[in-house]
Amino acid sequence: MYTEMTLAKELLRMSLDPRQFSAMFSIDVSADPRTEAANQSKIDANELIVQLLRQMVETQKREVTLLEEISNHLSQGQKQRVAELNQWKEANPKLAEACRYATETLSKVQTQFLQNITTEVFENEESLNDSDFMLNEFVDRFGPRLAHLNGVLQVLSQLSAAPPQQPANTNPQ
């Protein structure tokens, strides 16, 4: 059994022993060949880690470059479509304005149509759950009309002119 004094002496001896420190924080100058081999293996491991980290950084740089190229490639088509739509709107301002009004009107129709659909679902919830025939009948009745209405609204909204800008109130008080 260690006494307190013996334990304290042992801890002091261990804390002053240079071999107890990590090679990262100190240099071991002992002539022990096992220590030299261990230090060399630590250096080799550190060099390997550094090389792997460099490879990872290079790979990430290449990935970033490729992602930038993909992004630029995809955005070019979108920019071209936006430019063509803007040219069409400028060439056909009255038609673009008419498309805007049609979009607003059809949006109201779509809202009412969706209200009718939800009412139908609430009223026939049990029969829709229990009967495949009723579910198919419901989808056949509302599905195509909803899909076509959404498609028409999408086209009209893309072709519609932006609403006219309201001038800011500049009434001096």
Side-chain angles (χ1 to χ4, degrees):
M1 292 251 168
Y2 282 118
T3 63
E4 268 186 28
M5 186 63 114
T6 310
L7 184 58
K9 285 181 185 176
E10 185 67 24
L11 287 172
L12 181 63
R13 183 187 65 76
M14 288 175 59
S15 66
L16 296 176
D17 187 1
R19 290 175 290 175
Q20 297 297 322
F21 293 109
S22 170
M24 184 186 311
F25 301 110
S26 66
I27 299 173
D28 189 2
V29 291
S30 65
D32 188 6
R34 291 176 297 181
T35 305
E36 289 178 24
N39 285 341
Q40 186 61 36
S41 70
K42 286 180 184 177
I43 291 171
D44 291 342
N46 287 340
E47 288 176 7
L48 178 63
I49 290 171
V50 169
Q51 288 175 353
L52 289 173
L53 288 173
R54 285 186 180 134
Q55 288 176 357
M56 287 174 60
V57 167
E58 287 301 315
T59 302
Q60 287 177 343
K61 285 180 181 177
R62 283 184 290 203
E63 286 176 353
V64 167
T65 302
L66 287 173
L67 287 172
E68 287 172 347
E69 289 176 8
I70 290 171
S71 175
N72 289 336
H73 179 71
L74 293 175
S75 67
Q76 283 176 350
Q78 180 66 23
K79 287 176 185 176
Q80 182 179 355
R81 281 189 291 277
V82 168
E84 289 172 356
L85 273 174
N86 287 334
Q87 286 175 351
W88 183 89
K89 289 176 187 179
E90 289 173 10
N92 304 290
K94 289 183 180 180
L95 184 54
E97 187 66 23
C99 287
R100 185 174 71 82
Y101 289 124
T103 301
E104 291 171 1
T105 302
L106 282 177
S107 291
K108 293 174 188 173
V109 170
Q110 182 186 39
T111 302
Q112 184 59 46
F113 185 64
L114 290 171
Q115 184 63 44
N116 294 342
I117 290 174
T118 56
T119 302
E120 182 82 20
V121 169
F122 289 133
E123 290 174 357
N124 299 310
E125 180 179 5
E126 287 183 24
S127 61
L128 289 171
N129 278 330
D130 295 338
S131 170
D132 284 340
F133 174 77
M134 290 300 291
L135 179 61
N136 288 336
E137 185 68 26
F138 173 82
V139 170
D140 289 343
R141 190 164 131 209
F142 292 108
R145 203 174 343 166
L146 182 61
H148 292 303
L149 182 59
N150 287 337
V152 170
L153 272 169
Q154 184 177 11
V155 169
L156 287 174
S157 66
Q158 288 177 355
L159 297 176
S160 65
Q165 297 278 333
Q166 296 290 332
N169 281 340
T170 57
N171 292 340
Q173 297 282 339

